[in-house]
């Protein structure tokens, strides 16, 4: 449904304000525990997503704005653009943290190389990681891998950008990360230099909603921006990630959380 009348535009603006407000001022801003190897959760039957509600009952069990979701019938609206100021960053930490391959952005990285601006507010990229299969779906469609770019902003606010990865040509930034792909956990290495801009597709049209971390503690307060256009990597690169994180004793169904209920949330989009 396209927003065109004055009343419809006013409604979309109000919904967007509520979405941003809930993402910025949730009671429990989303944070992640970075103590590698000491978490009591995973993706096996004994500690996987079906058990997270017992291990983390406050939000994994009772939160009503949980992620990921299946994106169906989003409401078309005039959304503030996603303005990425990404560039080349040096000395990025990369590690198999027991749940995914995670890349940490150094705090000393210049702001003009790690910033996402939305509606005049700046959010700083702090880390990114990968899931297989994709956690979000669009009308039920999944992709082999989903990249999550996690940004932090003022007042504990957070924005997560989801980017689907499908088979195709090699991506230079992803290829650099994949040089550090390993099944060995908690043994960090460093990427000398990485052009973060290469992680993004040319088309930044997105689906946006208020959600949560997709890993414990399932903290709510994220504004999610799931990009419609995927990026690509080669089939062998996808298979290399799957050999570690899919169909193994530690990851029998991959390292993704199942879809969560929308619970009345509105998903907005500028996809045409």
């Amino acid at each position: 449904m396209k927003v065109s009348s004055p009343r419809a535009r006013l409604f979309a603006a109000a919904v967007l304000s509520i979405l941003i407000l809930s993402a910025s001022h949730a009671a429990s801003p989303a944070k992640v525990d970075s103590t590698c190897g000491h978490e009591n959760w995973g993706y096996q039957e004994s500690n996987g997503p079906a058990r997270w509600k017992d291990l983390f009952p406050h939000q994994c069990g009772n939160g009503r704005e949980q992620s990921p979701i299946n994106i169906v019938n989003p409401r078309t609206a005039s959304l503030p653009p996603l303005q990425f100021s990404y560039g080349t960053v040096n000395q990025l930490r990369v590690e198999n943290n027991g749940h995914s391959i995670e890349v940490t952005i150094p705090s000393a990285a210049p702001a003009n190389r790690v910033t996402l601006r939305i509606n005049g507010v700046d959010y700083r990229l702090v880390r990114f990681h990968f899931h297989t299969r994709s956690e979000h779906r669009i009308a039920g469609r999944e992709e082999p891998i989903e990249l999550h770019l996690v940004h932090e902003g003022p007042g504990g606010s957070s924005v997560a950008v989801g980017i689907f990865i499908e088979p195709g040509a090699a991506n230079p930034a992803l290829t650099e990360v994949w040089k550090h792909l390993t099944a060995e956990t908690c043994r960090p290495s460093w990427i000398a230099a990485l052009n973060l801009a290469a992680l993004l597709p040319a088309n930044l049209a997105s689906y946006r909603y208020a959600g949560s971390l997709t890993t414990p503690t399932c903290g709510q307060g994220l504004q999610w921006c799931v990009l419609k256009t995927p990026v690509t990597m080669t089939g062998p690169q996808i298979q290399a990630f799957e050999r570690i994180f899919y169909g193994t004793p530690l990851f029998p169904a991959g390292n993704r959380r199942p879809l969560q209920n929308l619970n009345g949330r509105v998903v907005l989009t500028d996809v045409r």
Side-chain angles (χ1 to χ4, degrees), residues 158-174:
S158 301
V159 173
V161 177
I163 303 177
F164 298 115
I165 300 176
E166 64 180 16
N171 175 291
L174 294 174

Side-chain angles (χ1 to χ4, degrees), residues 16-134:
L16 179 61
S17 297
I18 293 170
L19 186 155
I20 293 174
L21 184 64
S22 63
S24 300
H25 300 283
S28 301
K31 297 295 179 183
V32 64
D33 185 352
S34 60
T35 54
C36 184
H38 298 285
E39 300 88 348
N40 63 341
W41 62 273
Y43 292 91
Q44 299 170 278
E45 183 177 353
S46 61
N47 64 2
R51 292 290 317 282
W52 293 353
K53 62 183 179 181
D54 302 319
L55 298 171
F56 306 91
H58 176 59
Q59 290 187 326
C60 289
N62 296 317
R64 291 187 56 81
E65 292 188 348
Q66 291 290 292
S67 300
I69 61 170
N70 183 28
I71 298 169
V72 180
N73 297 324
R75 187 181 299 276
T76 303
S78 178
L79 300 176
L82 303 178
Q83 299 174 301
F84 288 93
S85 293
Y86 275 11
T88 298
V89 173
N90 300 323
Q91 292 300 303
L92 301 88
R93 177 188 173 109
V94 56
E95 181 178 42
N96 180 338
N97 62 12
H99 309 299
S100 183
I101 299 297
E102 182 164 84
V103 179
T104 303
I105 310 301
S107 59
N112 63 356
R113 300 180 187 179
V114 295
T115 297
L116 166 60
R117 173 170 288 187
I118 306 177
N119 206 27
V121 179
D122 288 342
Y123 300 87
R124 183 182 179 91
L125 179 67
V126 292
R127 61 186 175 273
F128 62 88
H129 58 267
F130 306 84
H131 296 273
T132 186
R133 307 295 200 257
S134 64

Side-chain angles (χ1 to χ4, degrees), residues 5 38 48 50 70 86 99 141 147 203 249 260 266 271:
S5 70
H38 298 285
N70 183 28
Y86 275 11
H99 309 299
R141 177 183 172 86
L147 162 64
N203 187 339
Q260 303 297 300
V266 176
V271 173

Side-chain angles (χ1 to χ4, degrees), residues 87-243:
T88 298
V89 173
N90 300 323
Q91 292 300 303
L92 301 88
R93 177 188 173 109
V94 56
E95 181 178 42
N96 180 338
N97 62 12
H99 309 299
S100 183
I101 299 297
E102 182 164 84
V103 179
T104 303
I105 310 301
S107 59
N112 63 356
R113 300 180 187 179
V114 295
T115 297
L116 166 60
R117 173 170 288 187
I118 306 177
N119 206 27
V121 179
D122 288 342
Y123 300 87
R124 183 182 179 91
L125 179 67
V126 292
R127 61 186 175 273
F128 62 88
H129 58 267
F130 306 84
H131 296 273
T132 186
R133 307 295 200 257
S134 64
E135 293 199 301
H136 289 94
R137 303 182 198 181
I138 299 177
R141 177 183 172 86
E142 64 180 23
E143 298 292 352
I145 298 178
E146 184 176 340
L147 162 64
H148 289 169
L149 304 165
V150 182
H151 305 75
E152 294 181 353
S157 58
S158 301
V159 173
V161 177
I163 303 177
F164 298 115
I165 300 176
E166 64 180 16
N171 175 291
L174 294 174
T175 295
E176 191 63 37
V177 174
W178 253 233
K179 292 178 181 178
H180 301 263
L181 195 65
T182 177
E184 188 175 8
T185 61
C186 304
R187 294 292 298 271
S189 57
W190 278 263
I191 301 173
L194 189 69
N195 180 10
L196 298 173
L199 296 171
L200 303 171
N203 187 339
L204 299 177
S206 65
Y207 305 94
R208 306 187 200 182
Y209 75 99
S212 74
L213 293 170
T214 64
T215 58
T217 57
C218 312
Q220 297 180 166
L222 261 74
Q223 179 184 343
W224 270 100
C225 304
V226 180
L227 302 191
K228 172 68 167 63
T229 303
V231 296
T232 61
M233 64 167 48
T234 68
Q237 288 175 320
I238 292 172
Q239 293 162 12
F241 189 83
E242 291 175 337
R243 281 195 292 270

